[in-house]
Amino acid sequence: AIVIPLSPRPGRPLTLNEDDDLPYEEEIIRNPYSVKCWIRYIEHKQNAQKSVLNMIYERALKELPGSYKLWYNYLRERRKQVKGKCVTDLAYEEVNNCHERALVFMHKMPRLWIDYCQFMVSQCKITRSRRTFDRALRALPITQHPRIWPLYLRFAHNLPLPETAIRVYPAIRLAAVVNDENFVSKEGKSNYQLWHELCDLISQNPDKVTSLKVGAIIRGGLTRFTDQLGKLWCSLADYYIRSGHFEKARDVYEEAILTVVTVRDFTQVFDSYAQFEESMIAAKMETTSELGQDEDGDIDLELRLARFELLITRRPLLLNSVLLRQNPHNVHEWHKRVKLYEGQPRQIINTYTEAVQTIDPLKATGKPHSLWVSFARFYEDNEQLDDARTIFEKATKVNYKQVDDLAAVWCEYGEMELRHENYDQALRILRKATAIPARKAEYFDSSEPVQNRVYKSLKVWSMLADLEESLGTFQSTKAVYDRIIDLRIATPQIIINYAMFLEEHNYFEDSFKAYERGIALFRWPNVHDIWNTYLTKFIDRYGGKKLERARDLFEQALDKCPAKYAKTIYLLYAKLEEEYGLARHAMAVYERATAAVEPEEQHQMFNIYIKRAAEIYGVTHTRAIYQKAIEVLPDEHARDMCLRFADMESKLGEIDRARAIYSYCSQICDPRVTAHFWQTWKEFEVRHGNEDTIREMLRIKRSVQATYNTQVNFMSSQMLKATGTVSDLAPGQSGVDDMKLLEQKAQQLAAEAEQDKPKPKDKILFVRSDTSRSELAELAKQANPDEIDIDDEDEDAEDGEPDEVQLEQKSVPTAVFGGLKDD
């Protein structure tokens, strides 16, 4: 017999039959890694003792631990050996250990997991069985899960207490549902809602969902639902908090606030983070008080307080980071970030550097050049001019989107030198900015970089012109203005400034030439200010010495002049003629002006015309002007002109002319609207007329009123003007036709007119009027107080016979006949 030292149980050597086992032993010695050799040996020993068979399996698995066939047969043999024994027997635990050792190498084999789970269930070990099922689900790929779930669910349903099944099944089903794109909820829940329920379930029960990889599940949701990151991050952190992994929870919060890109998500995460830190501080203080320790000397508590304080202090900066993650090209947010670092020069420099390196000028929101300018200003405020100049030099090489951005950089560069009284340097900078580039481009040619177009920037040229006026010579300043005009980038204000500059140096004709060049550059209405200034300066300079030239200038200015700007020029022209020319020329200018200005200004222009004509020629010369004004102006202003015209005539004693004017004007005066006109006419007739003229006025008034009563359009317009809409005339009748409402209103007005007719008992005059005979007599008496008062006894004489008239004969005085008496 040969004694083999290997034994499944130490201290008990195993004796083998030499004749039967020796060939197999020699074969496995020669081929220790051959599964077939070991299988033949095991089959040879099938009827041997169980301990002998187990020993051979152990020897084989020691040499071939990755053999699925050996492990499967071995575990099946061990389970057979304990079959029928009590579950409390130690042999069951030995078999369980064998399964655990097998799964170290065979953890991806679903058959071994199934056998092990079934074996654990047969032992009635509920907790270990559930954990084994969970381990199987975590270890196996998802494609193998359908082989585990039926066993797991059967195990859960067969339990005497339903709590385990209730805790296991929802998490398992939710995990499966959220990964099923074809799943449709019967309750109408979206996939995100299901995800949210799953996250809440597993985060609130971390010790009951060991079968799921919580971190992987929630992070999977973070990649799928990018618009709801806040809740998912909070769920993941809550899972670690409930699991007792506080540092992991803090790491999750930090990762979240550094990755979320919306303010809403940031607010959710930050509030949860702050609440977590507060609860940690409260728990520590409670523990310290229970143990009776001194809170002041607790380093851990001080550390937690400092961490919480730092978190609150970091909030504005963290929020700014969120906004910059949304749009890293937001210039305004970069400026806000710099302000948050106030008092920290190194952080400010780093922020400016990061900003100018991150922002793409073509995608920037805001003015990217302002960051460069602020960066240079920071160095300037700290008296580091060389560094500020370096920043400006780099800023001038950036390819901005707009030429104005680069122009603003050049101007700020020059202003910095001016602030430090480096005047020559400022001039050199702006001359460099306006230098013609090697490759010229049009100002609005976006295909060219702004460096090739900035030479046409008016902002830079304007500042250079101001500096040349203050620091340069007359010739250098004149050259700058001429260059601006040649580049055709001048504005009317530049032209005016140039002319004023020449005038200050007594170059009057050159200043007028500058005006002429500006006039050639611009059209109406842009040229208005140039013409206005030019004409004023020319008149102030020469007065009437060059009258013909001045007239030519005015005619040139009025050529193609819009009506909106004509009034000022015409008034200047007329003033020139009044002061230095002929009065009739001035009157001709005024007459042209009344037709050239806008309709809204015609009334005012006629007033000026009339006033000047009266002062120059007398009031009688204004009759033709009044007549033309009445013909041209709209009714509203024509009435005013008629009243003034009639008043003038009455003052001149031309009563008939004034009455004719009132009669003419009455045709455009509705008595219901223009009561002032009729009152004025009435007062005129009272002062200057008699009973017949008053009757004629009343007849005309009645006729005009009747004319306006028949004009439905006028009535509707007046009603609309008074009420706003036709439907407002009959509240509550929104469905009635608008035309029918107008007809009703017209009938109402006709009824009112019928009521205004004289009563039958009154005697009807030859003119329809509300004024009785006695009232007419009173009016006539007021008109002519010297009239003889005749008694009213014979007013009704026509009712009876007239009295006989007594006649008396008298002799004719001889003086009447003179020398004819004798004949």
Side-chain angles (χ1 to χ4, degrees), residues 127-183:
T127 302
R128 290 187 65 180
S129 298
R130 178 172 57 80
R131 292 177 178 175
T132 303
F133 276 115
D134 293 342
R135 288 169 57 200
L137 291 172
R138 287 197 300 268
L140 293 173
I142 195 168
T143 55
Q144 301 293 341
H145 285 193
R147 301 183 64 181
I148 304 296
W149 278 119
L151 300 175
Y152 198 177
L153 297 178
R154 192 181 307 118
F155 158 74
H157 283 300
N158 293 332
L159 292 175
L161 296 177
E163 285 80 3
T164 301
I166 293 173
R167 292 171 183 172
V168 171
Y169 198 69
I172 303 305
R173 291 304 303 158
L174 280 174
V177 162
V178 296
N179 291 317
D180 185 3
E181 296 181 355
N182 299 323
F183 177 78

Side-chain angles (χ1 to χ4, degrees), residues 335-462:
H335 282 298
K336 288 175 61 177
R337 191 174 186 84
V338 171
K339 290 182 180 180
L340 293 175
Y341 284 122
E342 187 174 358
Q344 305 177 46
R346 186 176 298 277
Q347 293 294 338
I348 292 175
I349 293 173
N350 292 337
T351 302
Y352 274 127
T353 304
E354 183 182 1
V356 297
Q357 291 176 351
T358 302
I359 289 180
D360 183 356
L362 301 180
K363 301 178 182 178
T365 303
K367 296 293 184 180
H369 74 276
S370 61
L371 282 171
W372 288 99
V373 173
S374 299
F375 196 3
R377 180 67 65 86
F378 173 75
Y379 279 120
E380 181 188 356
D381 294 340
N382 288 275
E383 299 181 356
Q384 298 179 7
L385 287 183
D386 292 337
D387 293 332
R389 292 188 182 101
T390 302
I391 296 300
F392 273 122
E393 290 294 337
K394 291 182 179 180
T396 58
K397 295 179 176 60
V398 176
N399 185 22
Y400 300 101
K401 186 177 182 180
Q402 303 291 340
V403 179
D404 280 347
D405 295 343
L406 180 57
V409 171
W410 280 113
C411 292
E412 290 288 345
Y413 194 2
E415 288 178 0
M416 184 193 73
E417 297 295 350
L418 290 176
R419 284 194 293 269
H420 295 276
E421 300 181 357
N422 298 326
Y423 304 118
D424 294 338
Q425 180 69 12
L427 274 173
R428 282 195 296 270
I429 289 170
L430 292 176
R431 287 170 182 169
K432 179 180 177 182
T434 56
I436 305 299
R439 182 177 176 180
K440 295 190 294 184
E442 292 298 325
Y443 184 83
F444 295 103
D445 187 2
S446 58
S447 62
E448 292 289 334
V450 291
Q451 283 76 11
N452 292 345
R453 297 183 281 156
V454 73
Y455 76 99
K456 280 195 171 184
S457 173
L458 182 61
K459 181 183 293 186
V460 182
W461 279 106
S462 298

Side-chain angles (χ1 to χ4, degrees), residues 635-662:
D635 291 350
E636 180 182 0
H637 297 309
R639 281 192 291 269
D640 179 62
M641 283 292 177
C642 287
L643 290 174
R644 291 172 56 191
F645 191 12
D647 183 61
M648 183 196 75
E649 293 291 359
S650 63
K651 289 179 180 179
L652 294 176
E654 298 289 346
I655 304 302
D656 292 338
R657 294 178 64 91
R659 185 175 289 110
I661 295 170
Y662 281 123

Side-chain angles (χ1 to χ4, degrees), residues 459-498:
K459 181 183 293 186
V460 182
W461 279 106
S462 298
M463 185 173 180
L464 178 58
D466 293 341
L467 288 181
E468 291 288 359
E469 285 191 37
S470 303
L471 307 174
T473 63
F474 172 79
Q475 293 299 330
S476 63
T477 307
K478 186 174 181 297
V480 168
Y481 278 116
D482 288 338
R483 186 61 180 158
I484 293 174
I485 297 174
D486 292 341
L487 289 173
R488 303 182 70 83
I489 60 173
T491 62
Q493 188 60 49
I494 291 290
I495 299 298
I496 294 173
N497 291 345
Y498 183 22

Side-chain angles (χ1 to χ4, degrees), residues 515-716:
Y515 286 124
E516 292 288 346
R517 294 178 68 182
I519 291 168
L521 283 176
F522 300 101
R523 297 182 181 275
W524 289 97
N526 299 323
V527 78
H528 173 256
D529 292 332
I530 299 177
W531 271 120
N532 201 12
T533 309
Y534 182 19
L535 295 173
T536 304
K537 293 292 183 182
F538 189 87
I539 294 173
D540 293 342
R541 171 64 179 167
Y542 294 113
K545 296 179 181 178
K546 297 186 178 183
L547 187 58
E548 289 302 324
R549 180 179 171 186
R551 286 172 176 166
D552 291 341
L553 289 176
F554 274 107
E555 293 297 335
Q556 183 182 353
L558 292 172
D559 185 25
K560 299 180 181 179
C561 176
K564 181 178 180 181
Y565 304 97
K567 178 182 174 182
T568 306
I569 298 178
Y570 272 112
L571 291 178
L572 279 176
Y573 195 2
K575 182 180 179 182
L576 172 71
E577 293 292 351
E578 288 180 20
E579 293 180 356
Y580 307 106
L582 300 176
R584 58 186 179 85
H585 287 174
M587 293 298 103
V589 171
Y590 281 123
E591 185 175 0
R592 289 171 57 190
T594 57
V597 298
E598 288 188 318
E600 295 81 4
E601 297 177 338
Q602 280 186 322
H603 182 232
Q604 185 180 5
M605 201 68 227
F606 270 112
N607 289 335
I608 297 173
Y609 186 14
I610 292 170
K611 180 180 178 182
R612 300 306 301 162
E615 292 177 356
I616 295 173
Y617 290 108
V619 293
T620 57
H621 189 77
T622 61
R623 284 172 175 158
I625 304 174
Y626 274 118
Q627 292 177 4
K628 182 178 179 182
I630 293 169
E631 293 175 359
V632 173
L633 293 176
D635 291 350
E636 180 182 0
H637 297 309
R639 281 192 291 269
D640 179 62
M641 283 292 177
C642 287
L643 290 174
R644 291 172 56 191
F645 191 12
D647 183 61
M648 183 196 75
E649 293 291 359
S650 63
K651 289 179 180 179
L652 294 176
E654 298 289 346
I655 304 302
D656 292 338
R657 294 178 64 91
R659 185 175 289 110
I661 295 170
Y662 281 123
S663 177
Y664 174 82
C665 183
S666 65
Q667 303 303 315
I668 58 174
C669 296
D670 183 2
R672 295 167 299 175
V673 180
T674 58
H676 173 69
F677 167 80
W678 294 99
Q679 182 63 29
T680 305
W681 192 4
K682 178 181 177 182
E683 293 174 356
F684 168 80
E685 294 295 351
V686 168
R687 289 194 303 268
H688 306 288
N690 52 36
E691 182 177 356
D692 293 337
T693 59
I694 292 176
R695 284 175 176 169
E696 180 66 14
M697 180 200 73
L698 295 175
R699 184 191 67 79
I700 295 173
K701 179 179 180 181
R702 201 66 181 171
S703 174
V704 171
Q705 185 170 358
T707 302
Y708 277 103
N709 283 343
T710 59
Q711 296 179 1
V712 179
N713 291 336
F714 172 79
M715 291 191 298
S716 63

Side-chain angles (χ1 to χ4, degrees), residues 1-2 15-23 25 41 44-45:
I2 299 174
T15 302
L16 299 177
N17 190 302
E18 180 180 2
D19 296 334
D20 295 339
D21 299 338
L22 187 57
E25 290 290 344
Y41 194 8
H44 170 68
K45 303 296 289 185

